[in-house]
Amino acid sequence: MKKPLAFQYNQITSMPTKTIMVLLECSGNKRAHFSPKVFGEQWTGGAMSQGRWTGVPLSFLLSITGLNAGAREIVFQGEDSGIKIKQQQYFERSLPLAKAIDPNVIIAWEHNQKPLSLKHGFPYRLIVPGWYGMASVKWLKTIRVIHHHFSGPFQTDDYVYYPYNDHNKDSFPVTTNQINSVVQQPLDRQILIPGEHKISGLAWTGEGVITAVEISVDNGDTWKSAVIQDKPQKYQWVKWSHSHIFEKKQVYTIKVRAFDSNGLSQPDQAFWNRKGYGFNEISQIKILIE
């Protein structure tokens, strides 16, 4: 930075603000579905949320401090820490400069029209739309500009896709949310009576917007278009639904796949990686009609 500065809380909150509705998803969401199994929190489909965040665009702060020639990445340090490489390490993550100056990247102090709660990162939280939640550093205390590639352990050890179980060849960082979906109703393994039932859920993607959601009630043999409730918005999930008449005494395998404006769709099989990040295989549930 050309001009390092320290800001008080009331200075930050009096700066130009931006409010953005953003989906935040844990990079380990759906980890429980990987096969072979991987270590880590065995999330199914609920490690995500969506909310309205208000703060100052990071690009505005950087315009005040200025950037030296050769600036490459912006590093964010939170107040939380953990043991990494046998020593206490603050949680630090970086963003490449091109992403950091995106006008939608903000330093938030408000969530859903209320001051940030402690669990959401009070007093400040970085919000990085379109990237998995680890990028949105909580309890933010310092921001610094570097002229090299950041190599902190929470960036180059954790939150990395490792394609192999026994070595690190071909590894690459976790960044953008994968295109994904989830079935909310009915529940997996639910028992229902014969007749018409509505299948509903959510779909989302990292960049671009969801353009279509397809559903199959016959284990993928045939597909039909689901109804998307509202006009898709960037960095937000869409709600979808589809009604079907189910016949008695049958087990149905219901599958759902989403498509986005960048030509991406959910794969038949997720990209396996040993830390269990980014599971986005075609969503599937089974129901029994009595």
Side-chain angles (χ1 to χ4, degrees):
M1 291 182 182
K2 290 183 177 179
K3 185 180 177 183
L5 295 171
F7 296 103
Q8 300 296 322
Y9 185 82
N10 62 345
Q11 291 178 289
I12 294 287
T13 57
S14 64
M15 290 179 179
T17 62
K18 180 161 191 166
T19 297
I20 183 168
M21 181 73 79
V22 175
L23 172 145
L24 290 180
E25 179 187 12
C26 175
S27 55
N29 194 28
K30 297 190 177 184
R31 180 184 281 124
H33 301 314
F34 274 109
S35 181
K37 287 287 190 182
V38 295
F39 288 96
E41 189 73 36
Q42 296 299 297
W43 295 109
T44 51
M48 54 185 287
S49 67
Q50 184 166 285
R52 191 177 301 276
W53 302 87
T54 297
V56 57
L58 175 62
S59 57
F60 180 81
L61 291 180
L62 295 176
S63 72
I64 296 174
T65 62
L67 291 172
N68 292 315
R72 182 174 176 182
E73 296 185 7
I74 313 295
V75 180
F76 307 87
Q77 185 181 95
E79 288 282 8
D80 52 332
S81 62
I83 301 296
K84 295 292 292 182
I85 318 176
K86 298 183 179 180
Q87 61 181 330
Q88 197 79 9
Q89 301 269 356
Y90 280 107
F91 187 83
E92 289 185 301
R93 295 276 311 176
S94 78
L95 290 177
L97 185 59
K99 182 65 175 179
I101 61 175
D102 183 321
N104 291 310
V105 174
I106 65 173
I107 307 300
W109 64 82
E110 189 176 277
H111 178 232
N112 291 337
Q113 300 179 309
K114 294 181 180 180
L116 282 185
S117 66
L118 182 62
K119 68 179 180 180
H120 282 128
F122 177 86
Y124 311 113
R125 180 175 186 173
L126 177 68
I127 297 296
V128 185
W131 282 37
Y132 281 109
M134 79 285 155
S136 294
V137 178
K138 293 181 178 180
W139 309 292
L140 184 63
K141 68 173 184 176
T142 62
I143 302 171
R144 67 182 190 275
V145 180
I146 60 175
H147 295 73
H148 56 276
H149 178 62
F150 179 64
S151 58
F154 295 104
Q155 183 140 340
T156 57
D157 180 22
D158 288 335
Y159 306 110
V160 173
Y161 291 111
Y162 295 104
Y164 305 103
N165 198 40
D166 54 354
H167 59 81
N168 296 344
K169 183 181 178 181
D170 299 328
S171 62
F172 58 99
V174 175
T175 56
T176 308
N177 294 76
Q178 302 275 22
I179 186 170
N180 218 330
S181 67
V182 66
V183 181
Q184 294 178 299
Q185 293 292 334
L187 302 176
D188 189 28
R189 305 289 172 175
Q190 189 168 353
I191 300 173
L192 300 173
I193 62 173
E196 185 173 16
H197 294 279
K198 185 167 78 170
I199 309 160
S200 61
L202 307 171
W204 63 96
T205 192
E207 296 293 337
V209 296
I210 295 295
T211 54
V213 176
E214 293 183 347
I215 186 166
S216 171
V217 298
D218 54 12
N219 197 29
D221 288 340
T222 61
W223 295 86
K224 293 184 178 180
S225 295
V227 176
I228 295 176
Q229 182 173 308
D230 297 307
K231 181 180 178 180
Q233 301 291 326
K234 196 172 183 180
Y235 306 132
Q236 299 176 31
W237 62 42
V238 297
K239 296 180 180 180
W240 56 264
S241 64
H242 177 77
S243 293
H244 184 79
I245 298 174
F246 294 92
E247 298 178 3
K248 64 181 179 179
K249 304 299 181 183
Q250 287 195 44
V251 174
Y252 288 84
T253 298
I254 299 171
K255 293 187 174 184
V256 175
R257 60 189 183 190
F259 300 79
D260 75 9
S261 56
N262 289 324
L264 299 176
S265 61
Q266 289 178 256
D268 292 330
Q269 185 174 359
F271 169 65
W272 187 93
N273 59 99
R274 73 168 183 258
K275 291 206 172 187
Y277 298 129
F279 186 97
N280 72 329
E281 193 170 295
I282 288 175
S283 302
Q284 176 177 305
I285 65 168
K286 289 181 183 291
I287 60 171
L288 171 63
I289 305 298
E290 285 193 325

